[in-house]
Amino acid sequence: MAAIPTLGSFDPPTTTADEDALEAAARTLDAHSGRILGQGTDVVARMDHTAVEFSELVSEPIKRRGGEFLSAATAAMEGAVWGSAVTVQWAGSVREYKEAVKALLAEWEAAVGDSFGIRESEVGGGTPNLTPAEREAATEEATAYAGQLKLAEMNAAANAAYEKFKQDAADTGARLKEGPTPENLRAMAEGGVDSWALYSLFGMNAPLPLTGDWGGVLGKDLLDAIARGNVEDLPASVRGQLGALQALIERAHYLQSIGERLSAGELDYLERFFGAVDKSVFDMPDLLGDTNWSDADKALILAGMGGGLLAVSDEKLGGGTARLPDSVRNFVAAYAGGKGKDALPYRMSEPSDGDELRALASMFDALDDQGMALMQGGRDFSAAITIATAEHLDSDGSGSVFTVSEATARTLLDHSTANFEANTAILNGDIEHPFYKEDTAEHVLREMFGHQWEDGGATGAKLVDWIPRAATSGDKELQDLATEAAYHLITTMTNDKAAEHWDESAYQFFTDGYGNIGEFDKAPLGVANPLIAQSMGRTAITYIDYLDAPNVDRDSELTLSDDPRADDMFLDKGTRARFVELVMGDKTAGNALGEAAYAKVIAEAGDMADWKGWQDARKEALEDGGLIGLLDTAYKNVYEDATGDAADEATVDKQHATWVRSASTILKEIVTEIPQVKAIKGVGQILIREGLELGKWSPNQIESSGIWQFADNGAPAQGDREGDPEYEKFGFEVTHSVVSNLLDDPKSGVDVDDVRAIDSRLVEKGPDGEYRLRDSDELLKANDPPSSDQHRGNLDFREANAALQQLFDEKTGKLYESYVDAFVDQRKDQ
């Protein structure tokens, strides 16, 4: 008879491997990786610094060896990181095997204690007349037999666990030796190690080894896990697969920054993944909310969803609308798919309640937390998000389920408006809302700019605030995109004819459509959303050349000529005036545009010495005068509906006087910021005397400080302002500023000797022994009697002003007079 197995009969293989020590070693390796690279970079930096102190013969070899050293440091760092990751996985294998052996031993101990399930009372059931000795012998035989069966079962389980343990050890050794190959990365991910994060380190420029099948598997496994998520944790295998999705999104974000495409395998992976989760895309935040998973796991999934949709929709990455799942394509079709033979079929059975937007915002918020706030989607997908967001804005603060909050809108627009082509396609009509069709641009602008934003319009302005940067980027394609967007922005918002879907025109809406705010019964855009007006003002400044172009009698037109000498657009007179009025609705925006306008006038008048007769003078004056006239008209129109003394209040800011003074003092800076403004040269800088008295020809521009005086009936006061210290000081400051600019410009034709020849008291010797113009503050001090010692006394500022004026009067003559006369006439004619 076989012996009954005991506790010692089961002796599974053991291991002396220490998982805690392995994990500690892994942490050490990981810590050393950064130290290795940091020290390597520091050494190379010192090499580079030292190398430049020697001849090229010596420095180049030193730099080359420095590069080799850095490569070695990088390789060492990669080895340390890879060794750390593989060691962590091996520690997991050790822990897994030890826990398996512990469980088997516990199971064996329980079986032995239970006599392998044999009960003496149950033995010999078919032969009840057994003697006690016979029953005991039969029981021992049954127990021995059952024990041997259980021991065989336990040994088989222990051997299987040990064979897996040995295979894990062999795989670990091979991975350490082979390094981070795609196959090893994939195998480690399947085992629950986030090896895909390492792929960014070992191969960001190389395509991830992904296939469409892998994407489909992830989608199915994720939905299966969600179905059990209220009772189970997120499986490690699914988390490992999500690591691949996360690495792919990080790579897509990187490729967007350098203008390259994803591989076919990567795109197929995304397409198949979203195909598998299609019906759950917009339900994903709610589905995850029903699980008991950690916030980190939920965020990982949401970020993967959001980044994946942006990547797979991006045409420049190789994606596009056709690769989106049906649910998302239907969303695009509902808002941005209604034009031309390639229009997407509109299949939404009922109007959206904004759930899609809230879901996307949750995904994008999670993506932003991973540092990818600048990631953008494709043109159509981005345009659909922008149009839908505008349509669902919570305009009355009701918090309806059919609206989205400003916080949600901000998250969505951060990503959707990052695609400049999408913004332009909305504004120029290339993308149409299925209902609003050719009026889509006006619809979006009314919703986006018509909403009174809590942030002053910063969020709404995202649709257009990129235009000035793109226009000055130096990239012709991007510049044309900006010009096209600017043209349609200007002409749409200034349209004074009511479109099909509204009773009032866009121009009337944006100038009077914001209700009672402050001093206005019918507030304009700039009062309700000052930051939108300021963004439009920056656009106006960028394209200021088109605001003072000759007023020929023709309609507005976009040309986008390839000839750099030709105009890219033309704006008719009414469009210019209405757009400047929209800008002037905000005082900050108005002041910036006013300063830029005067700076342009000053700079262009600097060409006076090169003008060929009074015809050139008149041509320049008509353009410059027209531009300044737009400022007059715009301010008058903005404040004519204001309550009380709003018109007078507007002029308290010293409109034109402030603009002239600021333009003179910031001229050098403004020229660098406005590429269209010519470099300063010549001597005729500005209509100095007449420029200071612009109020004479604009009765509606009354400066409250008293610099401009008017009769009670609004007509200009008779006589000039001689003898008024404030007026004359202001005039002197402007004149002094212009002369300073002339002296700083070697091409102006004016130098300090010209000034000294007029009156030596205007100049002084600097520390270098060279003469220079004295500061205006010093010349404005109380006057001392002139000193006989090198004329060191102060001039009366009236004397100083008159003396400096001679630089202009003597060298411009009739050209100056012709320019002033035409400027004044044109300004009054606006």
Side-chain angles (χ1 to χ4, degrees), residues 407-668:
T408 296
R410 189 170 300 112
T411 297
L412 294 166
L413 294 173
D414 277 346
H415 289 276
S416 67
T417 60
N419 189 314
F420 301 160
E421 292 181 356
N423 301 337
T424 304
I426 292 172
L427 293 171
N428 70 12
D430 282 350
I431 285 179
E432 291 187 349
H433 186 290
F435 175 73
Y436 289 95
K437 296 189 181 300
E438 64 270 14
D439 294 330
T440 296
E442 184 172 337
H443 164 61
V444 173
L445 289 169
R446 279 175 178 262
E447 298 294 332
M448 191 93 79
F449 292 0
H451 176 79
Q452 189 171 352
W453 294 87
E454 293 178 1
D455 62 7
T459 300
K462 293 179 186 297
L463 180 64
V464 298
D465 62 5
W466 58 276
I467 292 175
R469 299 192 307 275
T472 56
S473 66
D475 181 329
K476 180 62 167 65
E477 183 177 348
L478 198 56
Q479 288 174 330
D480 284 350
L481 202 66
T483 300
E484 190 169 2
Y487 174 83
H488 289 284
L489 169 72
I490 294 169
T491 55
T492 300
M493 294 191 69
T494 59
N495 186 5
D496 58 355
K497 305 290 191 301
E500 175 185 353
H501 300 90
W502 303 278
D503 294 332
E504 60 182 353
S505 69
Y507 166 66
Q508 183 179 357
F509 174 77
F510 290 119
T511 52
D512 295 329
Y514 296 85
N516 192 321
I517 302 177
E519 60 193 358
F520 291 88
D521 288 330
K522 298 178 180 179
L525 167 65
V527 172
N529 289 311
L531 296 183
I532 292 178
Q534 290 167 31
S535 179
M536 292 165 53
R538 288 189 290 273
T539 296
I541 291 171
T542 301
Y543 293 98
I544 199 168
D545 269 3
Y546 298 105
L547 297 179
D548 72 351
N551 278 325
V552 297
D553 186 17
R554 65 185 177 101
D555 295 333
S556 297
E557 181 183 13
L558 178 69
T559 54
L560 291 181
S561 172
D562 289 332
D563 184 349
R565 297 166 299 179
D567 290 335
D568 287 326
M569 64 171 148
F570 175 80
L571 300 173
D572 65 63
K573 182 177 179 180
T575 295
R576 301 178 203 181
R578 291 189 289 272
F579 189 66
V580 173
E581 179 183 346
L582 291 176
V583 173
M584 290 290 177
D586 171 64
K587 290 180 180 179
T588 298
N591 285 337
L593 180 56
E595 291 171 1
Y598 273 108
K600 185 177 191 297
V601 169
I602 292 172
E604 291 189 338
D607 284 334
M608 191 174 294
D610 296 332
W611 293 346
K612 296 178 173 57
W614 64 269
Q615 295 92 340
D616 279 1
R618 179 173 177 77
K619 172 181 175 297
E620 295 292 337
L622 292 178
E623 295 179 6
D624 293 345
L627 180 60
I628 301 306
L630 289 177
L631 305 181
D632 292 337
T633 304
Y635 256 96
K636 175 179 180 296
N637 291 341
V638 165
Y639 288 99
E640 65 183 359
D641 291 330
T643 59
D645 297 326
D648 291 338
E649 291 287 337
T651 58
V652 169
D653 288 338
K654 305 178 181 180
Q655 310 296 5
H656 287 272
T658 300
W659 293 336
V660 173
R661 178 162 49 237
S662 297
S664 297
T665 56
I666 67 170
L667 187 57
K668 284 182 286 187

Side-chain angles (χ1 to χ4, degrees), residues 71 93 193 205 264 364 423 427 453 568 679 694 696 745 772:
S71 297
S93 296
V193 175
N205 291 319
F364 294 163
N423 301 337
L427 293 171
W453 294 87
D568 287 326
L694 289 170
K696 283 185 178 180
D745 179 8
R772 64 185 183 189

Side-chain angles (χ1 to χ4, degrees), residues 21-23 25-26 29 82-92 172 176 188:
L22 287 168
E23 288 176 343
L29 279 172
W82 179 246
S84 173
V86 176
T87 301
V88 166
Q89 189 180 48
W90 171 235
T172 298
L176 283 171
M188 289 181 69

